[in-house]
PDB file of all heavy atoms in Angstrom:
ATOM      1  N   GLU A 163      -4.680  12.178  12.082  1.00  0.00           N
ATOM      2  CA  GLU A 163      -5.856  11.313  12.226  1.00  0.00           C
ATOM      3  C   GLU A 163      -6.963  11.894  11.341  1.00  0.00           C
ATOM      4  O   GLU A 163      -7.720  12.754  11.747  1.00  0.00           O
ATOM      5  CB  GLU A 163      -6.318  11.257  13.680  1.00  0.00           C
ATOM      6  CG  GLU A 163      -7.448  10.264  13.880  1.00  0.00           C
ATOM      7  CD  GLU A 163      -8.058  10.321  15.268  1.00  0.00           C
ATOM      8  OE1 GLU A 163      -7.682  11.200  16.062  1.00  0.00           O
ATOM      9  OE2 GLU A 163      -8.950   9.502  15.551  1.00  0.00           O
ATOM     10  N   GLY A 164      -7.039  11.401  10.125  1.00  0.00           N
ATOM     11  CA  GLY A 164      -7.934  11.978   9.138  1.00  0.00           C
ATOM     12  C   GLY A 164      -7.111  12.830   8.186  1.00  0.00           C
ATOM     13  O   GLY A 164      -5.902  12.987   8.372  1.00  0.00           O
ATOM     14  N   PRO A 165      -7.721  13.388   7.150  1.00  0.00           N
ATOM     15  CA  PRO A 165      -9.162  13.404   6.866  1.00  0.00           C
ATOM     16  C   PRO A 165      -9.655  12.206   6.069  1.00  0.00           C
ATOM     17  O   PRO A 165     -10.771  12.214   5.549  1.00  0.00           O
ATOM     18  CB  PRO A 165      -9.294  14.686   6.027  1.00  0.00           C
ATOM     19  CG  PRO A 165      -8.013  14.736   5.246  1.00  0.00           C
ATOM     20  CD  PRO A 165      -6.955  14.202   6.185  1.00  0.00           C
ATOM     21  N   PHE A 166      -8.822  11.154   5.997  1.00  0.00           N
ATOM     22  CA  PHE A 166      -9.126  10.016   5.132  1.00  0.00           C
ATOM     23  C   PHE A 166      -9.931   8.957   5.891  1.00  0.00           C
ATOM     24  O   PHE A 166      -9.561   7.776   5.938  1.00  0.00           O
ATOM     25  CB  PHE A 166      -7.822   9.418   4.589  1.00  0.00           C
ATOM     26  CG  PHE A 166      -6.827  10.451   4.123  1.00  0.00           C
ATOM     27  CD1 PHE A 166      -5.515  10.420   4.577  1.00  0.00           C
ATOM     28  CD2 PHE A 166      -7.196  11.451   3.234  1.00  0.00           C
ATOM     29  CE1 PHE A 166      -4.586  11.352   4.153  1.00  0.00           C
ATOM     30  CE2 PHE A 166      -6.266  12.404   2.806  1.00  0.00           C
ATOM     31  CZ  PHE A 166      -4.963  12.357   3.264  1.00  0.00           C
ATOM     32  N   LEU A 167     -11.031   9.379   6.499  1.00  0.00           N
ATOM     33  CA  LEU A 167     -11.819   8.520   7.374  1.00  0.00           C
ATOM     34  C   LEU A 167     -13.190   8.246   6.764  1.00  0.00           C
ATOM     35  O   LEU A 167     -13.564   8.822   5.740  1.00  0.00           O
ATOM     36  CB  LEU A 167     -11.979   9.176   8.753  1.00  0.00           C
ATOM     37  CG  LEU A 167     -10.690   9.663   9.427  1.00  0.00           C
ATOM     38  CD1 LEU A 167     -11.014  10.325  10.762  1.00  0.00           C
ATOM     39  CD2 LEU A 167      -9.695   8.526   9.601  1.00  0.00           C
ATOM     40  N   ASN A 168     -13.941   7.351   7.410  1.00  0.00           N
ATOM     41  CA  ASN A 168     -15.292   7.017   6.963  1.00  0.00           C
ATOM     42  C   ASN A 168     -16.260   8.070   7.509  1.00  0.00           C
ATOM     43  O   ASN A 168     -16.376   8.223   8.731  1.00  0.00           O
ATOM     44  CB  ASN A 168     -15.671   5.625   7.458  1.00  0.00           C
ATOM     45  CG  ASN A 168     -16.951   5.113   6.839  1.00  0.00           C
ATOM     46  OD1 ASN A 168     -17.933   5.838   6.723  1.00  0.00           O
ATOM     47  ND2 ASN A 168     -16.948   3.850   6.450  1.00  0.00           N
ATOM     48  N   PRO A 169     -16.978   8.799   6.643  1.00  0.00           N
ATOM     49  CA  PRO A 169     -17.831   9.883   7.109  1.00  0.00           C
ATOM     50  C   PRO A 169     -19.207   9.448   7.601  1.00  0.00           C
ATOM     51  O   PRO A 169     -19.998  10.293   8.027  1.00  0.00           O
ATOM     52  CB  PRO A 169     -17.976  10.765   5.864  1.00  0.00           C
ATOM     53  CG  PRO A 169     -17.925   9.789   4.734  1.00  0.00           C
ATOM     54  CD  PRO A 169     -16.946   8.716   5.165  1.00  0.00           C
ATOM     55  N   SER A 170     -19.493   8.158   7.570  1.00  0.00           N
ATOM     56  CA  SER A 170     -20.826   7.684   7.941  1.00  0.00           C
ATOM     57  C   SER A 170     -21.091   7.918   9.421  1.00  0.00           C
ATOM     58  O   SER A 170     -20.161   7.891  10.246  1.00  0.00           O
ATOM     59  CB  SER A 170     -20.968   6.189   7.630  1.00  0.00           C
ATOM     60  OG  SER A 170     -20.717   5.937   6.264  1.00  0.00           O
ATOM     61  N   PRO A 171     -22.356   8.129   9.794  1.00  0.00           N
ATOM     62  CA  PRO A 171     -22.693   8.309  11.216  1.00  0.00           C
ATOM     63  C   PRO A 171     -22.187   7.130  12.051  1.00  0.00           C
ATOM     64  O   PRO A 171     -22.284   5.970  11.646  1.00  0.00           O
ATOM     65  CB  PRO A 171     -24.227   8.364  11.193  1.00  0.00           C
ATOM     66  CG  PRO A 171     -24.569   8.865   9.832  1.00  0.00           C
ATOM     67  CD  PRO A 171     -23.534   8.263   8.919  1.00  0.00           C
ATOM     68  N   GLY A 172     -21.643   7.448  13.207  1.00  0.00           N
ATOM     69  CA  GLY A 172     -21.084   6.425  14.080  1.00  0.00           C
ATOM     70  C   GLY A 172     -19.610   6.209  13.849  1.00  0.00           C
ATOM     71  O   GLY A 172     -18.843   6.024  14.793  1.00  0.00           O
ATOM     72  N   TYR A 173     -19.186   6.229  12.597  1.00  0.00           N
ATOM     73  CA  TYR A 173     -17.771   6.043  12.280  1.00  0.00           C
ATOM     74  C   TYR A 173     -16.985   7.356  12.369  1.00  0.00           C
ATOM     75  O   TYR A 173     -15.813   7.350  12.738  1.00  0.00           O
ATOM     76  CB  TYR A 173     -17.601   5.453  10.876  1.00  0.00           C
ATOM     77  CG  TYR A 173     -18.108   4.042  10.748  1.00  0.00           C
ATOM     78  CD1 TYR A 173     -19.332   3.774  10.146  1.00  0.00           C
ATOM     79  CD2 TYR A 173     -17.373   2.963  11.239  1.00  0.00           C
ATOM     80  CE1 TYR A 173     -19.809   2.478  10.037  1.00  0.00           C
ATOM     81  CE2 TYR A 173     -17.838   1.657  11.134  1.00  0.00           C
ATOM     82  CZ  TYR A 173     -19.064   1.421  10.528  1.00  0.00           C
ATOM     83  OH  TYR A 173     -19.531   0.136  10.427  1.00  0.00           O
ATOM     84  N   CYS A 174     -17.621   8.475  12.030  1.00  0.00           N
ATOM     85  CA  CYS A 174     -16.868   9.732  11.959  1.00  0.00           C
ATOM     86  C   CYS A 174     -16.574  10.324  13.330  1.00  0.00           C
ATOM     87  O   CYS A 174     -15.653  11.116  13.484  1.00  0.00           O
ATOM     88  CB  CYS A 174     -17.611  10.739  11.101  1.00  0.00           C
ATOM     89  SG  CYS A 174     -19.229  11.228  11.702  1.00  0.00           S
ATOM     90  N   GLY A 175     -17.343   9.938  14.365  1.00  0.00           N
ATOM     91  CA  GLY A 175     -17.116  10.478  15.695  1.00  0.00           C
ATOM     92  C   GLY A 175     -17.302  11.992  15.705  1.00  0.00           C
ATOM     93  O   GLY A 175     -18.246  12.513  15.108  1.00  0.00           O
ATOM     94  N   CYS A 176     -16.378  12.703  16.357  1.00  0.00           N
ATOM     95  CA  CYS A 176     -16.475  14.168  16.400  1.00  0.00           C
ATOM     96  C   CYS A 176     -15.769  14.832  15.226  1.00  0.00           C
ATOM     97  O   CYS A 176     -15.765  16.062  15.118  1.00  0.00           O
ATOM     98  CB  CYS A 176     -15.927  14.702  17.725  1.00  0.00           C
ATOM     99  SG  CYS A 176     -14.120  14.605  17.885  1.00  0.00           S
ATOM    100  N   HIS A 177     -15.165  14.039  14.329  1.00  0.00           N
ATOM    101  CA  HIS A 177     -14.496  14.603  13.163  1.00  0.00           C
ATOM    102  C   HIS A 177     -15.520  15.175  12.190  1.00  0.00           C
ATOM    103  O   HIS A 177     -16.569  14.567  11.961  1.00  0.00           O
ATOM    104  CB  HIS A 177     -13.673  13.529  12.439  1.00  0.00           C
ATOM    105  CG  HIS A 177     -12.490  13.040  13.195  1.00  0.00           C
ATOM    106  ND1 HIS A 177     -11.200  13.187  12.749  1.00  0.00           N
ATOM    107  CD2 HIS A 177     -12.387  12.388  14.378  1.00  0.00           C
ATOM    108  CE1 HIS A 177     -10.351  12.660  13.611  1.00  0.00           C
ATOM    109  NE2 HIS A 177     -11.059  12.163  14.622  1.00  0.00           N
ATOM    110  N   PRO A 178     -15.253  16.327  11.585  1.00  0.00           N
ATOM    111  CA  PRO A 178     -16.206  16.898  10.628  1.00  0.00           C
ATOM    112  C   PRO A 178     -16.276  16.083   9.344  1.00  0.00           C
ATOM    113  O   PRO A 178     -15.321  16.069   8.545  1.00  0.00           O
ATOM    114  CB  PRO A 178     -15.653  18.305  10.381  1.00  0.00           C
ATOM    115  CG  PRO A 178     -14.204  18.204  10.703  1.00  0.00           C
ATOM    116  CD  PRO A 178     -14.081  17.188  11.800  1.00  0.00           C
ATOM    117  N   ALA A 179     -17.395  15.420   9.132  1.00  0.00           N
ATOM    118  CA  ALA A 179     -17.534  14.523   7.983  1.00  0.00           C
ATOM    119  C   ALA A 179     -17.376  15.266   6.663  1.00  0.00           C
ATOM    120  O   ALA A 179     -16.845  14.716   5.684  1.00  0.00           O
ATOM    121  CB  ALA A 179     -18.883  13.817   8.039  1.00  0.00           C
ATOM    122  N   ALA A 180     -17.815  16.514   6.606  1.00  0.00           N
ATOM    123  CA  ALA A 180     -17.755  17.281   5.357  1.00  0.00           C
ATOM    124  C   ALA A 180     -16.323  17.540   4.904  1.00  0.00           C
ATOM    125  O   ALA A 180     -16.085  17.827   3.726  1.00  0.00           O
ATOM    126  CB  ALA A 180     -18.503  18.599   5.526  1.00  0.00           C
ATOM    127  N   ALA A 181     -15.359  17.455   5.819  1.00  0.00           N
ATOM    128  CA  ALA A 181     -13.959  17.716   5.474  1.00  0.00           C
ATOM    129  C   ALA A 181     -13.210  16.444   5.092  1.00  0.00           C
ATOM    130  O   ALA A 181     -12.019  16.509   4.759  1.00  0.00           O
ATOM    131  CB  ALA A 181     -13.243  18.399   6.638  1.00  0.00           C
ATOM    132  N   MET A 182     -13.873  15.295   5.132  1.00  0.00           N
ATOM    133  CA  MET A 182     -13.204  14.029   4.827  1.00  0.00           C
ATOM    134  C   MET A 182     -13.110  13.806   3.325  1.00  0.00           C
ATOM    135  O   MET A 182     -13.923  14.312   2.546  1.00  0.00           O
ATOM    136  CB  MET A 182     -13.951  12.873   5.499  1.00  0.00           C
ATOM    137  CG  MET A 182     -13.872  12.909   7.002  1.00  0.00           C
ATOM    138  SD  MET A 182     -14.782  11.549   7.782  1.00  0.00           S
ATOM    139  CE  MET A 182     -14.606  12.002   9.510  1.00  0.00           C
ATOM    140  N   GLY A 183     -12.113  13.039   2.926  1.00  0.00           N
ATOM    141  CA  GLY A 183     -11.924  12.721   1.519  1.00  0.00           C
ATOM    142  C   GLY A 183     -11.098  11.460   1.370  1.00  0.00           C
ATOM    143  O   GLY A 183     -10.664  10.859   2.356  1.00  0.00           O
ATOM    144  N   ASP A 184     -10.883  11.057   0.139  1.00  0.00           N
ATOM    145  CA  ASP A 184     -10.101   9.857  -0.128  1.00  0.00           C
ATOM    146  C   ASP A 184      -8.618  10.108   0.136  1.00  0.00           C
ATOM    147  O   ASP A 184      -8.139  11.241  -0.002  1.00  0.00           O
ATOM    148  CB  ASP A 184     -10.297   9.419  -1.582  1.00  0.00           C
ATOM    149  CG  ASP A 184     -11.727   8.971  -1.870  1.00  0.00           C
ATOM    150  OD1 ASP A 184     -12.401   8.515  -0.923  1.00  0.00           O
ATOM    151  OD2 ASP A 184     -12.159   9.080  -3.034  1.00  0.00           O
ATOM    152  N   PRO A 185      -7.886   9.073   0.517  1.00  0.00           N
ATOM    153  CA  PRO A 185      -6.450   9.231   0.769  1.00  0.00           C
ATOM    154  C   PRO A 185      -5.742   9.859  -0.419  1.00  0.00           C
ATOM    155  O   PRO A 185      -5.945   9.462  -1.568  1.00  0.00           O
ATOM    156  CB  PRO A 185      -5.989   7.786   1.017  1.00  0.00           C
ATOM    157  CG  PRO A 185      -7.198   7.127   1.599  1.00  0.00           C
ATOM    158  CD  PRO A 185      -8.359   7.712   0.851  1.00  0.00           C
ATOM    159  N   ASP A 186      -4.905  10.841  -0.126  1.00  0.00           N
ATOM    160  CA  ASP A 186      -4.302  11.680  -1.156  1.00  0.00           C
ATOM    161  C   ASP A 186      -2.818  11.856  -0.831  1.00  0.00           C
ATOM    162  O   ASP A 186      -2.447  12.574   0.102  1.00  0.00           O
ATOM    163  CB  ASP A 186      -5.019  13.027  -1.170  1.00  0.00           C
ATOM    164  CG  ASP A 186      -4.549  13.945  -2.286  1.00  0.00           C
ATOM    165  OD1 ASP A 186      -3.477  13.682  -2.875  1.00  0.00           O
ATOM    166  OD2 ASP A 186      -5.250  14.938  -2.551  1.00  0.00           O
ATOM    167  N   ILE A 187      -1.978  11.182  -1.589  1.00  0.00           N
ATOM    168  CA  ILE A 187      -0.537  11.251  -1.361  1.00  0.00           C
ATOM    169  C   ILE A 187      -0.029  12.682  -1.539  1.00  0.00           C
ATOM    170  O   ILE A 187       0.819  13.163  -0.781  1.00  0.00           O
ATOM    171  CB  ILE A 187       0.196  10.286  -2.307  1.00  0.00           C
ATOM    172  CG1 ILE A 187      -0.159   8.836  -1.953  1.00  0.00           C
ATOM    173  CG2 ILE A 187       1.709  10.491  -2.225  1.00  0.00           C
ATOM    174  CD1 ILE A 187       0.291   7.815  -2.972  1.00  0.00           C
ATOM    175  N   ALA A 188      -0.566  13.383  -2.529  1.00  0.00           N
ATOM    176  CA  ALA A 188      -0.117  14.755  -2.780  1.00  0.00           C
ATOM    177  C   ALA A 188      -0.433  15.660  -1.598  1.00  0.00           C
ATOM    178  O   ALA A 188       0.373  16.538  -1.241  1.00  0.00           O
ATOM    179  CB  ALA A 188      -0.767  15.288  -4.049  1.00  0.00           C
ATOM    180  N   LEU A 189      -1.595  15.469  -0.975  1.00  0.00           N
ATOM    181  CA  LEU A 189      -1.947  16.282   0.192  1.00  0.00           C
ATOM    182  C   LEU A 189      -0.994  16.005   1.339  1.00  0.00           C
ATOM    183  O   LEU A 189      -0.501  16.941   1.996  1.00  0.00           O
ATOM    184  CB  LEU A 189      -3.389  16.000   0.613  1.00  0.00           C
ATOM    185  CG  LEU A 189      -3.852  16.695   1.900  1.00  0.00           C
ATOM    186  CD1 LEU A 189      -3.716  18.202   1.795  1.00  0.00           C
ATOM    187  CD2 LEU A 189      -5.283  16.290   2.248  1.00  0.00           C
TER     188      LEU A 189
END
């Protein structure tokens, strides 16, 4: 669940927004 989530307030929930990024197949 993540890190490919929306980092905006309200959307990120308790997930650390600074660790989010664009979907990455290699990762």
Side-chain angles (χ1 to χ4, degrees):
E163 186 188 5
F166 316 129
L167 309 178
N168 190 316
S170 303
Y173 293 102
C174 62
C176 72
H177 292 242
M182 293 179 185
D184 294 333
D186 185 345
I187 294 169
L189 175 58

